[in-house]
Amino acid sequence: MATTTDPAAGARTAGTASDGDGPAIELEGVAKTYRAGRSTVTAVRHLDLAVAPGEYFAVVGPSGCGKTTTLRMIGGFEEPTAGTVRLAGRDVTGVPPDRRDVNTVFQSYALFPHMSVADNVAFGLRRRRVPAAEVRRRVGDMLDLVELTGVASRRPGRLSGGQQQRVALARALVNRPGALLLDEPLGALDPLLRQAMRAELKRLQREVGATFVHVTHDQGEALAMADRLAVMAGGRVRQTGAPAEVYERPADRFVAGFVGAANLLTGTVRTSAGGDGYAAVDLDGGQRVRAATAAGPGARIDLTVRPEKIRIAAAGTEGPDGGANLLRGTVRDAVYQGPATHYTVLVAGAGAAEPVELVVHRQNSAAAGPALRVGAEVRLTWPPEHSHVLGPA
Amino acid sequence: MRPRAVPYLLALPAWLWLGVFFVLPLCGMLSVSLMTGDLLSGFTQTFHLGTYAEAVQRYRVQLLRSLLYGGSATLVCLVIGYPVAYWIAFHAGRSRGGYLLLLLLPFFVSFVLRTVAWQFVLADDGVVLGTLKDAGLLPEGARVLNSAPAVVFGLAYAFLPFMVLPIYAVLDRMDRRLVEAARDLYAGRAAAFLRVVLPYSLPGVSAGVLMTFVPASSDYVNAAVLGGPGTTMIGNVIQTQFLVNNAYPTAAALTFTLMAVLLLGILGYALAAGTERMAGGRG
Ligand SMILES: Nc1ncnc2c1ncn2[C@@H]1O[C@H](COP(=O)(O)OP(=O)(O)O)[C@@H](O)[C@H]1O
Ligand SMILES: [Mg+2]
């Protein structure tokens, strides 16, 4: 075999050629229904997704929402019951995993127990008939990159969880796949290691410049690591966007509640938006707030306010509110969390309807006043741009 | 109270059992193999080693034949048993238990009875051969019984589950993601099997080979029922020497020789299989 060109390139098949700026991975109308005897389970209902080349993309959602199924359809381990999967612009629906230019880091790592770490990492290159000298070089480089050179000749069973995880990463990345698929890659690690591995994964991704698709049920992980993320629920994508976008402007009640803590409020538009773009909204608890919405008077709307967007102060310490939303209430609960204290405030309502409880996070910074006690009368203020109006749930 | 003694105490009945029913008879047998004499004048202990040389010399052919038949039966078991184990473990889904039961069902019937049943099935004018002969598909003189293949296939039939079960046990607990990982890393179906499934299952294969080879080599029922004068195995010789000729020292010496040969074989095999498993790791 000629060694003047990268032989791996010749062995690469479906979906390698990068055609301009098209998405590295594209799912169009993808659905998956499992059949188990006479019963069926629809794991993925209807999925449209596009992941750009070089992007760190996260898929986040509660357990059972279809994340693993989605990843397995990209990897080629499950065939969609409807829709199309494209890798670098090429339709790979029906193409087996060994002829797709993506590699998977399995949730349980699935390292070959009967092979050394080095042989595990070399597996893909050898299957693609890369010359032995190049295999040795690339495996060596990759083990250096994940700092496993010292254990190259050991069996995976003798390694710690963190080391096994890095072997799984190395075994996939050494093939320089068009995209790397990671299923809960940090799920099996203890919390301290998990934090460290977040940074490690990001570093790896930057260094190899590959497209990463990272599946997790941990919204904190998704927010911290992803360039863009998709929030899934019930086999559908609820929202796709940059972490700040998804967090600050959640599309619906589900996303608002799943990604970070949220105060969910329901109310009726009283007067439609004026010149400043804010409408007056009567909350079901009787309070009135202002929020940006195009809805006309009488329309029912849901809105959220993130706990850290609300200023909490003891009643009487009146300051300029500059057109901010103002609610008065009583502290029901205060939980000291170190950097911040989480308050639950019962907001006094005008009507006889159910009382409204708001969660407020206050940084315990140098500028913060004295701690507020349970039972203290407080005033809550936030700028109306942080009253985020939700779409239909 | 010394808690460390507890495991040993718990194992005591097992040790006693082994001592009374295995070690003692073995010592007795060893003693008999060194005696001289005959049934009429009685046997006396003379520490006569010559019996071994004589017996091995006289029954060399049967000894080698036993190893050959045992080895062939093991090979047949492996060729038939591996796919069966693989299929049950990977493709039988929830009916795995049912298929295993089917595999074991014939073994609820006595060993001898099953062998006799084969004799009936394979008889010169029996169900199979008779029908084929009537149909003109086989010459009138064709026979299966009393031939080496009949004995080998009888042995293979008798010990097939001993091959299937250990291989099945290993494959059944194998993480299916390993196969997917191999496919993910550009291995086709065949490469995934050869590089991952097969090496992974080698401990089961080793166990199966030993569990088949040892009893098959020392069996005498199949040779007696399905074989003829030309297929006598060492087990048949030992049986005859013990029960018919009452040549106890010769029978005991042959028994020990067979044990020694099998033990050496196992040892050599274990060493070879051990290194081979390591070599299997070379991607
Ligand atoms: N092989 C399968 N057969 C039948 N049902 C399955 C299979 N795999 C997953 N499911 C079901 O599909 C749904 C989605 O599963 P999964 O994709 O694993 O979700 P997630 O990874 O988000 O937890 C679940 O209800 C699960 O029980
Ligand atoms: Mg999952």
Side-chain angles (χ1 to χ4, degrees), chain A residues 72 98 103-104 111 114 119, chain B residues 178 180 183-184 186 195 281:
Chain A
R72 289 173 62 78
D98 50 311
N103 287 119
T104 306
L111 300 177
H114 56 286
D119 286 330
Chain B
L178 292 181
E180 291 186 346
R183 298 298 309 275
D184 188 63
Y186 315 108
R195 301 285 175 177

Side-chain angles (χ1 to χ4, degrees), chain A residues 34-36 41-43 61-70 78 183 215:
Chain A
Y34 289 108
R35 242 167 293 279
V41 181
T42 299
S63 173
C65 72
K67 307 181 295 292
T68 297
T69 303
T70 304
E78 305 285 356
D183 192 358
V215 157

